[in-house]
Amino acid sequence: MKTIFLFLAICVANFSFAQDQEDRDDSFIRDSNKNLLKIDIKEPFMQVAVKCNDFKPAAFEGGVAAYKTVLNKYMFAYLNSDFYALTGDFVFTLVLDAKGKVVDVKGMPKVPNSEVFFDDMQYVVRRIKKNWTPASCNGQPVASQIKVKMNFSSISTDID
């Protein structure tokens, strides 16, 4: 009887201290061996203007919010932040071809260890399989660029 009571008491205590998943901050997504990441992708994205009388900007299925959600998810999954500890505002320029496919990703500003981060971001963006609807000029698809601003924090910790 004492064993059953002890077992039930441990179960109740365990459930009472369990973390409520709805209250968590999803911007802190991963606690890896060394780094804790916080990523804040800013809206709206800026379209680089093209000289044209009837310009229509590139669009992602579901809008900017849908792309932000997908990008955030892929960043948490594929960034290998063990090689850099960066904090600050970064701007990534997505270069789209006339078919709406991302053909290049350029990051700014360049700071120590940012090149590895920018290479990782190129990999992350190319993993997203959905294409953008290309920008158009006078009804014809054209290449374009989209600027994505984000605040990135990588906090190094010693877990040993």
Side-chain angles (χ1 to χ4, degrees), residues 32-138:
S32 67
N33 291 340
K34 302 285 183 198
N35 291 338
L36 182 68
L37 301 180
K38 181 174 173 119
I39 301 166
D40 182 23
I41 301 171
K42 309 289 184 191
E43 290 183 47
F45 296 170
M46 295 189 316
Q47 181 86 42
V48 176
V50 175
K51 290 184 180 183
C52 178
N53 293 334
D54 183 28
F55 179 75
K56 291 191 174 116
F60 190 78
E61 182 182 330
V64 170
Y67 188 77
K68 178 181 169 181
T69 301
V70 170
L71 181 61
N72 213 7
K73 175 181 157 190
Y74 277 61
M75 286 177 72
F76 293 139
Y78 295 112
L79 281 180
N80 187 4
S81 64
D82 293 337
F83 297 108
Y84 43 83
L86 300 172
T87 299
D89 293 325
F90 292 91
V91 177
F92 290 93
T93 303
L94 309 179
V95 180
L96 306 175
D97 66 9
K99 294 179 183 175
K101 182 177 180 181
V102 178
V103 293
D104 196 15
V105 179
K106 300 173 185 171
M108 291 299 290
K110 295 190 184 320
V111 296
N113 298 322
S114 65
E115 287 301 319
V116 178
F117 174 51
F118 297 158
D119 289 344
D120 277 359
M121 281 300 295
Q122 249 189 1
Y123 178 77
V124 166
V125 170
R126 289 185 176 170
R127 297 282 302 172
I128 299 172
K129 296 299 179 197
K130 282 187 178 179
N131 285 345
W132 290 72
T133 302
S136 64
C137 178
N138 299 324

Side-chain angles (χ1 to χ4, degrees), residues 12-40:
V12 169
N14 191 25
F15 286 119
S16 67
F17 291 113
Q19 179 182 4
D20 184 9
Q21 292 295 316
E22 293 179 16
D23 294 336
R24 72 181 184 179
D25 181 4
D26 282 340
S27 64
F28 285 99
I29 52 129
R30 178 172 75 173
D31 184 12
S32 67
N33 291 340
K34 302 285 183 198
N35 291 338
L36 182 68
L37 301 180
K38 181 174 173 119
I39 301 166
D40 182 23

